Amino acid sequence: QVQLIDSGGDFVQAGGSLRLSCAASGSIFRVESMGWYRQAPGMQRELVATSGETTYYADAVKGRFIISRDNAKNTAYLEMNRLKPEDTATYYCTMTVTESVGGWAVDYWGQGTQVVVSA
């Protein structure tokens, strides 16, 4: 089993910055890919960014957010700059993990960390 712990969410004024972290622990042979989603109140969960063979950013965050990873620590980061009130949401990290040699890749989710951006 693998556990993901999201952290770094906070209250911030528009124009500010935050850095989210997602640390994975447990039986990990290899992290295939990492990603961040967000869900605003009353809205569907949406993809923000992914890091795998390629890097993807949603149009709404392109140029402001940076996804990165520390493979040695099995940790993902989301650096969020020039934050806007519409970035307010609970942010969830996800990782696709292979737990053993020749094993299946399984998706895991963090518990979420809340980001509130005031105008």
Side-chain angles (χ1 to χ4, degrees), residues 13-89:
Q13 288 188 332
S17 299
L18 283 175
R19 189 192 197 205
L20 306 183
S21 299
C22 175
S25 61
S27 179
I28 300 171
F29 170 67
R30 183 171 60 235
V31 176
E32 309 292 343
S33 64
M34 300 177 174
W36 290 91
Y37 285 72
R38 67 185 182 186
Q39 187 167 19
M43 304 293 286
Q44 289 188 333
R45 191 172 296 190
E46 62 176 0
L47 176 62
V48 175
T50 61
S51 173
E53 292 187 357
T54 60
T55 301
Y56 166 85
Y57 294 98
D59 287 342
V61 307
K62 201 172 293 183
R64 299 187 297 122
F65 290 12
I66 301 172
I67 187 171
S68 62
R69 54 195 289 179
D70 184 331
N71 291 327
K73 296 181 179 180
N74 292 321
T75 300
Y77 303 97
L78 185 68
E79 181 178 342
M80 306 187 295
N81 302 304
R82 303 197 306 278
L83 283 160
K84 305 175 181 180
E86 50 264 43
D87 295 319
T88 294

